[in-house]
Amino acid sequence: MEIELRLVPENKRRPVPELKNLIFGRLFTEHMFVMEYDCNRGWHSARIEPYGAITLDPAAIVLHYAQTIFEGLKAYFGVDGKIRLFRPWENMRRLNRSAERLCMPKIDEDFVLEAIKKLILIDRAWIPREKGAALYIRPFMFGTEPSLGVKPSHSYLLIVILSPVSAYYQEGFNPVKIYVTDEFVRAAPGGTGEVKAGGNYAASLKAAEVAKSKGYTQVLWLDAVERRYVEEVGTMNIFFYFEDELVTPALSGSILPGITRDSVIKLARHWGLPVSERRVSIEEVIEGAASGRLKECFGTGTAAVISPVGVLCYQGQEYLINRGETGPLARRLFDELTAIQYGEKEDPFGWTVVLG
Amino acid sequence: MEIELRLVPENKRRPVPELKNLIFGRLFTEHMFVMEYDCNRGWHSARIEPYGAITLDPAAIVLHYAQTIFEGLKAYFGVDGKIRLFRPWENMRRLNRSAERLCMPKIDEDFVLEAIKKLILIDRAWIPREKGAALYIRPFMFGTEPSLGVKPSHSYLLIVILSPVSAYYQEGFNPVKIYVTDEFVRAAPGGTGEVKAGGNYAASLKAAEVAKSKGYTQVLWLDAVERRYVEEVGTMNIFFYFEDELVTPALSGSILPGITRDSVIKLARHWGLPVSERRVSIEEVIEGAASGRLKECFGTGTAAVISPVGVLCYQGQEYLINRGETGPLARRLFDELTAIQYGEKEDPFGWTVVLG
Ligand SMILES: Cc1ncc(COP(=O)(O)O)c(C=O)c1O
Ligand SMILES: Cc1ncc(COP(=O)(O)O)c(C=O)c1O
């Protein structure tokens, strides 16, 4: 399939605003990639066109039954002036796993990745240049059929939009305070927690609101069955550094298999640090925090890369981790991963893709 | 707040098509009700306008994080020529409970109900006249703010669309075959199962696909924790008639509190039949089916009113209920509820609202 280009004429382009102090996901570039699906024709009408409003029938399935999935990755402007993506195939594969779970059509991963690259190159002036800042890439796909029957849509849109984002840590690498919820549940085994279904995020808003009202930044979720085993935090996976072992919850079926999570596991093992993916109970975590056996705790995700956790609140009690400070392992992982992403260091794993 | 009328001029109205053999939720009437919300102005711009496409920013929250909820009720054309709604206040209250759970703004229940009545009267020619057929009413509300941060939207649309629907049982009152899934989970306690969040329905598509591929009409969901206690079926609540007791799963926090469910409970009690809301294990159900202790099983919901279950499939084994036939209790409940809805019988509970 060809990608049709319907670009904003050069002399009509918007000047790129100053890419500083951006609020995440509010500013978008000039173009977007769009592709349509219907049962008869399959995917068709792939095009890069000016960013702008889309029209939907009010009965479109996405508005009623939330048949929608998404991905999130970034393009980095390197110290060598090259633009890099970080493990983008993993996002394409995960998008297809999400599609499968929600009974949506598969995409051609290579084709969509090529379209994303093309789109980024067209809007390359929108990639912020400082270290830490990046161009956030948001592919998403949703059902558009106007039908109120609860069944998979016969038609879909896949869209990719781009948003310049500032460095996550604008004032230094600061540990966050996290609230462990035993009231709300994010996902159960047999549910949709291991894919990026839109509904998972709507379901998480309330717990985040409660956490925020109590002065915490994010929610740590426990498992749906025993409300005891740690799952993940907000939009990040979680790691615990116990004595000489780095531990992260095993992919239980209700945890999102984060690409940063996988990269941290591989990097730590590459350094010779033992990593285990297993069940971690909240008791083990708080006992470790109290005894000092838990040396560090941090979240991992595309947005922050590594987010050190300084305080955990569980059942009304606060637990300090590493005196509330960023630990050396979190720091080293952050430095190494960002060095790879920004082309400052060699990429021994073949994780980056250089554009253009 | 005033409702602005922007109606299709009388001489431009579409002729009403023949309201026969309609596929559920595909045909819509000429007008819709729309109301907008933003944090500064609250709800505003209420209007009844021609049914038609809506425009959304591609970054609108609903398309990414599924912040969307809905309701479903019907308007019935009575044997006396009067139009009736059935317990519509319950739908308004449930819409507000759904809004609360998804961090969305509350609506003024009286105002929206009045708007719905006005809309129905404008499009009254679209209400099918045969018994069993009705005008399906779909209020829904979703976040429109163009922002990729995972947080509640600052702006919303509430829309009501109307769809004429044929009688659910076009060829007689036929028992359905139901597949008990022990692979997929609909909702966990602490999740969103007790409200009408769009995401619940996207999450249910896969199990329905599996059931259909094996020759079953609907899925019976078990609880997320023990995978043992019956929850509900597809878009219906479920009842078991054991010897002389009518049983339905208690509202556990992950079951939708159906309005038909509540009506069946009240009606059966009114008739002097003991009803209990309690836990029902799948073993109790299949043992009851085998021994004959389970006399009837049926689903309840706005779409079908009562849907008798003739066959249950659990772990590869089929269980026949009441020889696969519709039982007298299901029949009596169906007849009585529809008689109230269509104004054929007195309404001792004050459930119906006559329009116009
Ligand atoms: C629920 C959830 N967990 C974890 C992650 C981290 O995944 P990744 O490292 O691929 O960004 C994300 C973000 O994508 C997420 O939404
Ligand atoms: C999941 C679910 N359960 C049960 C029901 C039945 O509810 P009601 O009787 O209010 O239509 C519905 C339909 O609204 C539903 O979507």
Side-chain angles (χ1 to χ4, degrees), chain A residues 24-26 28 32 51-60 62-70 100-103 136 138-142 145-154 159 161 163 183-192 197-209 212 221 224-227 235, chain B residues 24-26 28 32 51-60 62-70 100-103 136 138-142 145-154 159 161 163 183-192 197-209 212 221 224-227 235:
Chain A
F24 178 80
R26 288 277 187 83
F28 298 94
M32 61 186 186
Y51 182 99
I54 52 174
T55 59
L56 283 178
D57 192 285
V62 63
L63 301 176
H64 301 263
Y65 307 131
Q67 198 187 14
T68 182
I69 58 175
F70 69 93
E100 229 265 293
R101 182 63 183 82
L102 261 67
C103 302
Y136 183 79
R138 168 55 58 90
F140 58 114
M141 188 205 295
F142 54 91
E145 188 186 347
S147 167
L148 300 184
V150 181
K151 53 152 207 58
S153 182
H154 283 153
I159 301 181
I161 55 180
S163 174
E183 182 185 359
F184 296 105
V185 160
R186 194 188 87 94
T192 56
N200 298 344
Y201 299 82
S204 77
L205 296 171
K206 186 83 186 174
E209 192 178 80
K212 201 158 286 176
W221 301 97
V225 175
E226 301 190 45
R227 304 274 178 113
T235 53
Chain B
F24 177 80
R26 290 277 187 81
F28 298 95
M32 60 186 187
Y51 182 100
I54 53 174
T55 60
L56 284 178
D57 192 285
V62 63
L63 301 177
H64 301 263
Y65 307 131
Q67 200 188 11
T68 183
I69 58 174
F70 69 93
E100 230 266 294
R101 181 63 182 83
L102 260 67
C103 303
Y136 182 79
R138 167 56 60 90
F140 58 114
M141 189 206 296
F142 55 92
E145 188 186 348
S147 167
L148 300 184
V150 181
K151 54 150 207 61
S153 182
H154 284 154
I159 302 181
I161 54 179
S163 174
E183 181 184 1
F184 297 106
V185 159
R186 193 188 89 94
T192 55
N200 299 344
Y201 299 81
S204 77
L205 295 173
K206 186 83 186 169
E209 192 177 79
K212 202 158 287 177
W221 302 98
V225 175
E226 301 190 44
R227 303 274 179 112
T235 54

Side-chain angles (χ1 to χ4, degrees), chain B residues 249-309:
Chain B
L251 298 176
S252 59
S254 49
I255 294 177
L256 191 83
I259 295 161
T260 320
R261 174 186 181 279
D262 186 71
S263 308
V264 162
I265 292 173
K266 292 205 164 74
L267 198 55
R269 286 193 178 140
H270 180 71
W271 290 339
L273 191 68
V275 182
S276 63
E277 299 178 65
R278 61 165 169 88
R279 284 185 143 194
V280 185
S281 72
I282 186 67
E283 291 85 8
E284 181 182 359
V285 171
I286 60 182
E287 280 164 28
S291 71
R293 197 185 147 241
L294 175 61
K295 298 199 292 186
E296 298 185 33
C297 171
F298 51 85
T300 66
T302 295
V305 191
I306 301 290
S307 177
V309 177

Side-chain angles (χ1 to χ4, degrees), chain A residues 70 72 91 94 186 196 201 232-237 256-261 300-303:
Chain A
F70 69 93
N91 295 279
R94 193 167 62 188
R186 194 188 87 94
K196 287 183 84 78
Y201 299 82
E232 54 186 313
V233 41
T235 53
M236 295 191 287
N237 295 106
L256 191 83
I259 295 161
T260 320
R261 173 187 181 278
T300 66
T302 295

Side-chain angles (χ1 to χ4, degrees), chain A residues 133-296:
Chain A
L135 187 67
Y136 183 79
I137 305 160
R138 168 55 58 90
F140 58 114
M141 188 205 295
F142 54 91
T144 56
E145 188 186 347
S147 167
L148 300 184
V150 181
K151 53 152 207 58
S153 182
H154 283 153
S155 57
Y156 296 87
L157 277 176
L158 179 132
I159 301 181
V160 182
I161 55 180
L162 305 176
S163 174
V165 294
S166 291
Y168 197 87
Y169 298 105
Q170 305 220 33
E171 299 144 11
F173 197 46
N174 259 330
V176 292
K177 294 176 66 178
I178 280 187
Y179 183 78
V180 185
T181 181
D182 52 8
E183 182 185 359
F184 296 105
V185 160
R186 194 188 87 94
T192 56
E194 63 180 342
V195 300
K196 287 183 84 78
N200 298 344
Y201 299 82
S204 77
L205 296 171
K206 186 83 186 174
E209 192 178 80
V210 170
K212 201 158 286 176
S213 75
K214 294 182 195 275
Y216 298 87
T217 320
Q218 299 250 18
V219 172
L220 180 66
W221 301 97
L222 301 180
D223 79 287
V225 175
E226 301 190 45
R227 304 274 178 113
R228 190 174 164 210
Y229 295 100
V230 170
E231 296 239 312
E232 54 186 313
V233 41
T235 53
M236 295 191 287
N237 295 106
I238 189 132
F239 284 78
F240 303 95
Y241 187 28
F242 287 119
E243 307 205 306
D244 286 317
E245 183 198 37
L246 185 60
V247 179
T248 191
L251 299 176
S252 60
S254 49
I255 295 176
L256 191 83
I259 295 161
T260 320
R261 173 187 181 278
D262 186 70
S263 307
V264 163
I265 292 173
K266 293 204 164 75
L267 197 56
R269 286 193 178 140
H270 179 72
W271 289 340
L273 191 67
V275 183
S276 63
E277 298 177 66
R278 62 164 168 87
R279 285 184 142 195
V280 186
S281 72
I282 185 68
E283 291 86 9
E284 181 181 0
V285 172
I286 60 182
E287 280 163 27
S291 70
R293 196 186 147 239
L294 175 61
K295 298 199 293 187
E296 298 186 32

